[in-house]
Amino acid sequence: MERIYTDDDANPAALKGATIAIIGYGSQGRAHARNLRDSGFKVIVGARHGGGAAHRARADGFDVKAPAEAARAAQFIALLTPDMSHRDVYARDIQPNLSPGNTLLVAHGFSVLYDQIAPRADIDVVLVAPKGPGDLVRREYEIGRGVPCLFAVHQDATGEARDKAMAYAAGIGGTRAGAIETTFREETETDLFGEQAVLCGGATELVAAGFKTLVDAGYKPEVAYFECLHELKLIVDLMYEGGFAKMLHFVSETAKYGDFVSGPRVINDETRTRMREVLTDIQTGAFARQWVAENEAGKPNYQAMWKADLDQPIEQVGAELRRHMAWLQAEAPASAPAERQPASQAA
């Protein structure tokens, strides 16, 4: 079993006297900044003057500076903007304002692993990735608990990079729930694979395929929606809370038997071959090159695929059915494309 690090293993003194600049005040950035401040660290926020992020940070009581000014004033810089902005933000605002011995932190290793940024040799480069969205990171901290996190060291110029990363993880509450040491490569490749093969790509395609299979066979779209999407939350919640064991405990005997005999018919050797192909594209950098090129071209394919996803019949049926679910009305779904970030680093 991999060692799980706790508060007892972290040394907050590793960041004693340091000013921490949070560059990017989105979901993760806001949670990190507030938790770190409440843990006793000096925190400033780097955000574009006049923007919504700067307004929110000031309303939260932070000293807000332009990103370049924040980087210049800090010894520890947490870059928590979206992946595809890292290259420009680092080159324009951070790199020219670094001093030897400073620390650069990211919450997802994509930009470092795939050479979107090339950190100077005289700084520490670390990663701390909470395994949950920013609102959960903040909420758990406030009630005295925490969200598990990963941490890693890419570059150790001072000999203290690991201690700093663990101190930061403790500051946001990560070591309360347990922190696991990893590498930039492992964090990035597993995160991308999970999103593509299971959490986002795999899950949505499975749901859409199940819905289409039932509708094509003559069943009502509304009934197909309930069976293939609506009830998915129940199953995922049970697995999240207690693994396969809890899910199997709560579903019917018929559902259990159907799981055992039909699951392997749907997710079979061909599926696993396709999963290995997805992983290979990630490991070789092919996916990263494709995604970077897509962004540089203005994301035309991305926008078209987003629209195609939302134009599926299951989306139209679901929108109508959800109008009758009072408990969902406070949650407004996104209606226009906007880059999805991993839970560990949305900003």
Side-chain angles (χ1 to χ4, degrees), residues 233-251:
K233 184 181 187 305
L234 168 65
I235 302 303
V236 171
D237 283 351
L238 289 170
M239 290 194 293
Y240 177 84
E241 294 164 6
F244 293 170
K246 184 167 184 176
M247 183 272 288
L248 291 170
H249 176 76
F250 280 95
V251 300

Side-chain angles (χ1 to χ4, degrees), residues 7 10-12 36 39 41 141 165-176:
D7 283 348
N11 179 18
L36 288 163
S39 292
F41 296 107
Y141 180 94
M166 291 185 69
Y168 185 99
I172 63 172
T175 50
R176 293 176 179 177

Side-chain angles (χ1 to χ4, degrees), residues 36-254:
L36 288 163
R37 180 177 61 185
D38 289 352
S39 292
F41 296 107
K42 181 180 179 181
V43 179
I44 60 177
V45 172
R48 179 175 55 83
H49 288 310
H55 177 76
R56 287 190 298 274
R58 286 195 182 93
D60 287 338
F62 286 102
D63 178 11
V64 180
K65 303 177 183 295
E69 186 182 354
R72 191 179 310 119
Q75 295 77 49
F76 191 108
I77 299 96
L79 178 54
L80 300 177
T81 61
D83 289 333
M84 291 298 106
S85 71
H86 281 201
R87 181 171 60 187
D88 290 342
V89 173
Y90 180 78
R92 181 186 64 238
D93 299 319
I94 298 177
Q95 195 276 337
N97 296 297
L98 290 170
S99 297
N102 283 177
T103 302
L104 175 70
L105 174 140
V106 293
H108 180 45
F110 186 102
S111 59
V112 174
L113 182 64
Y114 297 121
D115 300 320
Q116 293 301 289
I117 63 176
R120 284 175 14 191
D122 61 355
I123 65 168
D124 294 335
V125 182
V126 302
L127 174 149
V128 175
K131 304 314 291 178
D135 62 342
L136 182 66
V137 172
R138 178 59 179 168
R139 187 165 67 248
E140 286 296 292
Y141 180 94
E142 288 183 302
I143 60 177
R145 301 185 306 207
V147 172
C149 69
L150 304 178
F151 73 96
V153 174
H154 174 75
Q155 189 167 282
D156 187 4
T158 66
E160 300 173 352
R162 187 173 182 275
D163 288 342
K164 293 176 187 176
M166 291 185 69
Y168 185 99
I172 63 172
T175 50
R176 293 176 179 177
I180 295 176
E181 189 166 12
T182 183
T183 65
F184 272 58
R185 179 173 296 280
E186 182 175 59
E187 185 277 332
T188 303
E189 292 178 351
T190 56
D191 187 84
L192 293 175
F193 176 81
E195 290 171 348
Q196 294 176 32
V198 180
L199 305 176
C200 300
T204 55
E205 287 299 317
L206 186 64
V207 167
F211 175 86
K212 188 175 187 303
T213 298
L214 288 177
V215 172
D216 287 351
Y219 298 101
K220 293 182 179 68
E222 293 79 7
V223 175
Y225 175 87
F226 282 128
E227 296 304 328
C228 295
L229 193 155
H230 179 80
E231 293 191 23
L232 183 63
K233 184 181 187 305
L234 168 65
I235 302 303
V236 171
D237 283 351
L238 289 170
M239 290 194 293
Y240 177 84
E241 294 164 6
F244 293 170
K246 184 167 184 176
M247 183 272 288
L248 291 170
H249 176 76
F250 280 95
V251 300
S252 70
E253 290 294 307
T254 304

